[in-house]
Coordinates of all heavy atoms in Angstrom, one line a residue:
V1 N 12.6 4.6 -11.1 CA 11.5 4.4 -12.1 C 11.1 5.7 -12.6 O 11.3 6.8 -12.0 CB 10.3 3.7 -11.4 CG1 9.7 4.6 -10.3 CG2 9.2 3.3 -12.4
Q2 N 10.6 5.8 -13.9 CA 10.2 7.0 -14.5 C 8.8 7.4 -13.9 O 8.0 6.5 -13.5 CB 10.2 6.9 -16.0 CG 11.5 6.8 -16.6 CD 11.5 6.9 -18.1 OE1 10.5 6.5 -18.7 NE2 12.5 7.5 -18.7
A3 N 8.6 8.7 -14.0 CA 7.2 9.2 -13.6 C 6.2 8.4 -14.4 O 6.3 8.2 -15.6 CB 7.1 10.7 -13.8
G4 N 5.1 8.1 -13.7 CA 4.0 7.3 -14.3 C 4.2 5.8 -14.2 O 3.3 5.0 -14.5
G5 N 5.4 5.4 -13.8 CA 5.7 3.9 -13.7 C 5.2 3.4 -12.4 O 4.5 4.0 -11.5
S6 N 5.5 2.1 -12.2 CA 5.1 1.4 -11.0 C 6.2 0.6 -10.3 O 7.2 0.3 -11.0 CB 4.0 0.3 -11.4 OG 2.9 0.9 -12.0
L7 N 6.1 0.4 -9.1 CA 7.0 -0.4 -8.3 C 6.2 -1.2 -7.3 O 5.2 -0.7 -6.8 CB 8.0 0.5 -7.5 CG 9.3 1.0 -8.2 CD1 10.1 1.9 -7.3 CD2 10.1 -0.2 -8.8
R8 N 6.7 -2.3 -6.9 CA 6.1 -3.1 -5.8 C 7.1 -3.4 -4.7 O 8.1 -4.0 -5.0 CB 5.6 -4.5 -6.4 CG 4.7 -5.2 -5.4 CD 4.5 -6.6 -5.8 NE 3.4 -7.3 -5.1 CZ 3.3 -8.6 -5.0 NH1 4.2 -9.4 -5.5 NH2 2.3 -9.2 -4.3
L9 N 6.8 -2.9 -3.6 CA 7.7 -3.1 -2.4 C 7.2 -4.3 -1.6 O 6.0 -4.5 -1.5 CB 7.7 -1.9 -1.5 CG 8.1 -0.6 -2.2 CD1 8.2 0.5 -1.1 CD2 9.4 -0.7 -2.9
S10 N 8.1 -5.0 -1.1 CA 7.8 -6.1 -0.2 C 8.5 -5.9 1.2 O 9.6 -5.3 1.2 CB 8.2 -7.5 -0.8 OG 7.6 -7.7 -2.0
C11 N 7.9 -6.4 2.2 CA 8.6 -6.4 3.5 C 8.4 -7.8 4.2 O 7.2 -8.2 4.4 CB 8.0 -5.3 4.4 SG 8.6 -5.3 6.1
A12 N 9.5 -8.5 4.3 CA 9.4 -9.8 5.0 C 9.7 -9.6 6.5 O 10.7 -9.1 6.8 CB 10.4 -10.7 4.3
A13 N 8.9 -10.3 7.3 CA 9.0 -10.1 8.7 C 9.4 -11.5 9.3 O 9.0 -12.5 8.8 CB 7.7 -9.7 9.3
S14 N 10.2 -11.4 10.4 CA 10.5 -12.6 11.1 C 10.7 -12.3 12.6 O 10.9 -11.1 12.9 CB 11.8 -13.2 10.6 OG 12.9 -12.3 10.7
G15 N 10.6 -13.3 13.4 CA 10.8 -13.1 14.8 C 9.6 -12.6 15.5 O 9.7 -12.1 16.7
L16 N 8.4 -12.5 14.8 CA 7.2 -12.1 15.5 C 6.0 -12.9 14.9 O 6.2 -13.6 13.9 CB 6.9 -10.6 15.3 CG 7.1 -10.0 13.9 CD1 6.1 -10.4 12.9 CD2 7.2 -8.5 14.0
T17 N 4.9 -12.8 15.6 CA 3.7 -13.5 15.1 C 3.0 -12.6 14.1 O 2.3 -11.6 14.5 CB 2.7 -13.8 16.2 OG1 3.4 -14.7 17.2 CG2 1.5 -14.6 15.7
F18 N 3.3 -12.8 12.8 CA 3.0 -11.8 11.8 C 1.5 -11.6 11.7 O 1.0 -10.4 11.5 CB 3.5 -12.3 10.4 CG 3.3 -11.3 9.3 CD1 4.1 -10.2 9.3 CD2 2.3 -11.4 8.4 CE1 4.0 -9.2 8.2 CE2 2.1 -10.5 7.4 CZ 3.0 -9.4 7.3
S19 N 0.6 -12.5 11.9 CA -0.8 -12.4 11.9 C -1.4 -11.6 13.0 O -2.5 -11.2 13.0 CB -1.5 -13.7 11.8 OG -1.2 -14.5 13.0
S20 N -0.5 -11.2 14.0 CA -0.9 -10.4 15.1 C -0.2 -9.1 15.2 O 0.0 -8.5 16.3 CB -0.7 -11.2 16.5 OG -1.5 -12.4 16.5
V21 N 0.2 -8.6 14.1 CA 0.8 -7.2 14.1 C 0.2 -6.4 13.0 O -0.1 -6.9 11.9 CB 2.3 -7.2 13.9 CG1 3.0 -7.7 15.2 CG2 2.8 -8.0 12.7
T22 N -0.1 -5.1 13.3 CA -0.5 -4.2 12.2 C 0.8 -3.8 11.5 O 1.9 -3.6 12.1 CB -1.1 -3.0 12.9 OG1 -2.3 -3.3 13.5 CG2 -1.3 -1.8 11.9
M23 N 0.7 -3.7 10.2 CA 1.9 -3.4 9.4 C 1.6 -2.0 8.7 O 0.5 -1.7 8.3 CB 2.1 -4.4 8.3 CG 2.4 -5.8 8.8 SD 3.9 -5.8 9.8 CE 5.1 -5.3 8.6
G24 N 2.7 -1.3 8.6 CA 2.6 0.1 7.9 C 3.7 0.3 7.0 O 4.8 -0.3 7.1
W25 N 3.5 1.3 6.1 CA 4.7 1.8 5.3 C 4.7 3.3 5.6 O 3.7 4.0 5.5 CB 4.3 1.6 3.8 CG 4.5 0.2 3.4 CD1 3.5 -0.8 3.2 CD2 5.7 -0.5 3.0 NE1 4.1 -2.0 2.8 CE2 5.4 -1.8 2.6 CE3 7.1 -0.1 2.9 CZ2 6.4 -2.7 2.2 CZ3 8.0 -1.0 2.5 CH2 7.7 -2.3 2.1
F26 N 5.9 3.8 5.8 CA 6.2 5.2 6.0 C 7.3 5.6 5.0 O 7.9 4.7 4.4 CB 6.7 5.4 7.4 CG 5.7 5.4 8.5 CD1 5.2 4.1 8.9 CD2 5.2 6.5 9.1 CE1 4.2 4.0 9.9 CE2 4.2 6.4 10.1 CZ 3.7 5.2 10.5
R27 N 7.4 6.9 4.8 CA 8.4 7.3 3.9 C 9.1 8.6 4.4 O 8.5 9.3 5.2 CB 7.9 7.5 2.5 CG 7.0 8.7 2.3 CD 6.4 8.7 0.9 NE 5.7 9.9 0.6 CZ 5.1 10.2 -0.6 NH1 5.1 9.3 -1.5 NH2 4.4 11.3 -0.7
L28 N 10.3 8.8 4.0 CA 11.1 9.9 4.5 C 11.9 10.5 3.3 O 12.7 9.7 2.7 CB 12.1 9.5 5.6 CG 12.9 10.6 6.2 CD1 12.0 11.7 6.8 CD2 13.9 10.1 7.2
A29 N 11.5 11.7 2.9 CA 12.2 12.3 1.8 C 13.1 13.4 2.4 O 12.9 13.9 3.4 CB 11.2 13.0 0.9

């Protein structure tokens, strides 16, 4: 994406009780 633009990331979870986990996003450059 160009600077100033937008993106929407999604993360689909399975194999766990999703409503009972804290979710986070990390990044590595």
Side-chain angles (χ1 to χ4, degrees):
V1 64
Q2 288 189 331
S6 298
L7 279 176
R8 188 193 196 204
L9 305 184
S10 302
C11 173
S14 60
L16 47 70
T17 304
F18 187 75
S19 59
S20 297
V21 290
T22 292
M23 297 300 296
W25 287 96
F26 287 75
R27 69 184 189 183
L28 181 61

